[in-house]
Amino acid sequence: MTLVVSEEVREAVHARRAVVALESTIIAHGLPRPRNMQVALELEEAVRRQGAVPATIAVLDGRPRVGLDEGQLERVANEDGIRKLGHRDLPLAVATGASGATTVSATALLAALAGIRVFATGGLGGVHRRWTVTQDESADLGLLARTRITVVCAGVKSILDVPATLQRLETLGVAVAGYATDRFPGFCLADSGHPVDWTLDSPRQVADVMRAQDALGGPELALVVANPVPETEQLDPALHARVLADALRSCEAEGVTGQAVTPFLLDYLVRHTEGASLSANLAAVRGNVRLAARIAVAWAGA
């Protein structure tokens, strides 16, 4: 697989300057046009304002790209037929010359291959509800159990089985720390209702943990930094609970299964909260991007 790293990103990695990886699924599949392109540029600019280099990642015409120019971002945002690619899809996309936006697992893998240590996303995938029946678990978790990267996220998507996801991360050996909180966030909620064992209070402290990972050696495991959306910008918890319960009933009634479950539930939340869940999600992503850039600066200055 030929990895194409932009000149700006390549030079920054070589010089050990701060770089933040950004996924492209939110651009291609998470937002309507033309807002998706506006958000893509906004997130890259947010990284730059904190003193780091953004590296948005996607696959275009079978070539995995780490760092996109504006024209390439436009393709991801506006081109029909852009696929959604997990890490398992990368060899297929490369071999067939396909174009696709990268999910958490594919972005983390390509970022690590390019020498990038910090990655910002919205919410992780995880263990789905009714796992004992469906055996449905996001590929994100397994990939993080074998990739040395720091992922700044707002917890996991609230439509998932949060306690089961936390247990699975523990079983896999992936470290999870709350950022300035002892509660695990629920993406569009500041608190999923579950605690975390560790709290980190500054970008420098996160960078210290990253250095300790390297000094200790051992398995190539990720570090998950769970950064809650501000309570003033979260989705109203009562509204979330009511709409999610309705969404789960509708999902079962319509026989939605497998990979179709997550987009069905997320779309239901957006429509039945009149866009409030999307606004909360974007607030979470923006906060994660800013924090990731500050962590990358602290890591580069170590």
Side-chain angles (χ1 to χ4, degrees), residues 149-224:
I149 196 163
T150 295
V151 183
V152 182
C153 63
V156 299
K157 297 177 178 68
S158 58
I159 60 174
L160 300 172
D161 187 328
V162 177
T165 300
L166 287 169
Q167 180 59 57
R168 184 68 176 137
L169 286 167
E170 180 181 344
T171 299
L172 291 169
V174 177
V176 178
Y179 188 80
T181 182
D182 61 0
R183 309 296 295 173
F184 190 69
F187 198 12
C188 58
L189 301 175
D191 183 355
S192 69
H194 301 278
V196 291
D197 294 329
W198 294 93
T199 299
L200 300 174
D201 293 312
S202 70
R204 174 61 62 185
Q205 200 170 27
V206 177
D208 287 343
V209 175
M210 294 163 65
R211 285 198 299 276
Q213 281 184 307
D214 291 348
L216 289 167
E220 294 292 303
L221 298 166
L223 169 64
V224 174

Side-chain angles (χ1 to χ4, degrees), residues 30-31 35 158-159 186-189 229 233-236 239-240 243-244 265-285:
L31 295 167
R35 191 178 185 188
S158 58
I159 60 174
F187 198 12
C188 58
L189 301 175
V229 62
E233 297 183 272
Q234 72 173 343
L235 181 62
D236 177 67
L239 175 62
H240 173 271
V243 174
L244 178 57
L265 294 176
L266 292 176
D267 179 67
Y268 193 102
L269 281 173
V270 171
R271 289 186 289 109
H272 290 82
T273 62
E274 298 181 346
S277 67
L278 181 58
S279 296
N281 292 350
L282 282 174
V285 172

